[in-house]
Amino acid sequence: MHPLINYFLTLSPLSTSSAEALEAICQPTSIARNQPLQSIGQTCKTLYFLKKGMARIYYEKDGLDVTEGFYGEFNMIARAESLFAGKPSQKGIQVLEDSELWSIDTTQLASLYEGHRDIERLFSRLFEKAYVETIQRIENLQFHAAEERYHLLEKEQPEVLKRAPLKFIASYLGITQVSLSRIRAKKS
């Protein structure tokens, strides 16, 4: 069975016909390190799931590149504000490593919902999970000091600290690279 379908089955049950229908719209994609998967200003019409690699969602503010989130294997990557509003996003998606992904066209996905309620339930759960992660991210920035945010990242996504460039980790934490170096030095 398709590895992405196996992953979906860990989240929500799917009938055989639904699994086959979903597999039929999963398209393999490869993209080279540091390339944009979707550029700022594009309207999001595709969901991505990493088979191998790492990606980030970012935006630009006051001339700075700010990382909003990191995504590893089997994470759903989308710019929900653009997807649901049907408008161009102020955010982009960039892969940080040579990556292999599966892409799912959201128009094709939506056409499956009527005949496959289990697919609709699955993606409802995936979007709920993404929403909760976004709220947790906002609350981390609101309620935790930089060092606490670093330790949360270390606990929840340790692979990011090994695989992502320090400048992106620092921007994700809302600190400078110098501050990040100090936090990392304390740990040693």
Side-chain angles (χ1 to χ4, degrees):
M1 186 176 286
H2 194 284
L4 187 56
I5 302 302
N6 281 335
Y7 169 68
F8 289 155
L9 288 169
T10 67
L11 303 173
S12 187
L14 290 171
S15 69
T16 302
S17 66
S18 293
E20 290 170 355
L22 198 48
E23 185 174 346
I25 65 168
C26 292
Q27 300 300 314
T29 306
S30 294
I31 187 164
R33 175 180 193 225
N34 295 328
Q35 295 302 305
L37 188 56
Q38 289 189 345
S39 299
I40 293 172
Q42 269 188 287
T43 300
C44 184
K45 297 178 181 179
T46 308
L47 303 178
Y48 297 97
F49 294 86
L50 281 160
K51 176 181 179 184
K52 177 184 152 229
M54 180 172 276
R56 73 182 182 116
I57 291 181
Y58 69 98
Y59 58 92
E60 294 172 357
K61 183 176 180 186
D62 300 328
L64 297 174
D65 176 306
V66 181
T67 299
E68 179 179 277
F70 293 102
Y71 302 85
E73 285 81 6
F74 292 96
N75 286 148
M76 180 175 69
I77 310 168
R79 290 161 308 148
E81 81 293 343
S82 173
L83 178 67
F84 294 127
K87 295 181 179 176
S89 179
Q90 295 180 18
K91 300 172 186 173
I93 305 171
Q94 176 189 32
V95 297
L96 301 178
E97 303 171 340
D98 290 341
S99 297
E100 295 175 23
L101 309 98
W102 295 288
S103 61
I104 297 176
D105 178 275
T106 56
T107 303
Q108 290 179 312
L109 177 62
S111 72
L112 295 179
Y113 286 171
E114 193 62 39
H116 302 275
R117 293 292 184 197
D118 50 351
I119 292 175
E120 186 176 24
R121 278 190 302 277
L122 166 67
F123 279 87
S124 176
R125 287 184 179 153
L126 283 165
F127 287 120
E128 286 171 9
K129 180 179 179 283
Y131 175 74
V132 168
E133 289 169 356
T134 298
I135 295 302
Q136 288 172 336
R137 164 90 173 118
I138 291 166
E139 289 177 349
N140 284 344
L141 288 169
Q142 290 173 324
F143 302 121
H144 297 287
E147 193 167 339
E148 292 172 305
R149 291 193 301 270
Y150 176 84
H151 293 302
L152 282 169
L153 180 63
E154 183 178 47
K155 178 182 172 189
E156 295 170 1
Q157 292 182 287
E159 71 282 358
V160 168
L161 299 177
K162 296 174 189 159
R163 296 165 62 186
L166 292 179
K167 65 182 178 180
F168 296 151
I169 294 170
S171 76
Y172 175 77
L173 295 172
I175 60 177
T176 64
Q177 279 188 256
V178 172
S179 295
L180 177 60
S181 294
R182 284 189 196 120
I183 290 169
R184 290 167 59 105
K186 272 187 181 179
K187 190 149 169 54
S188 302

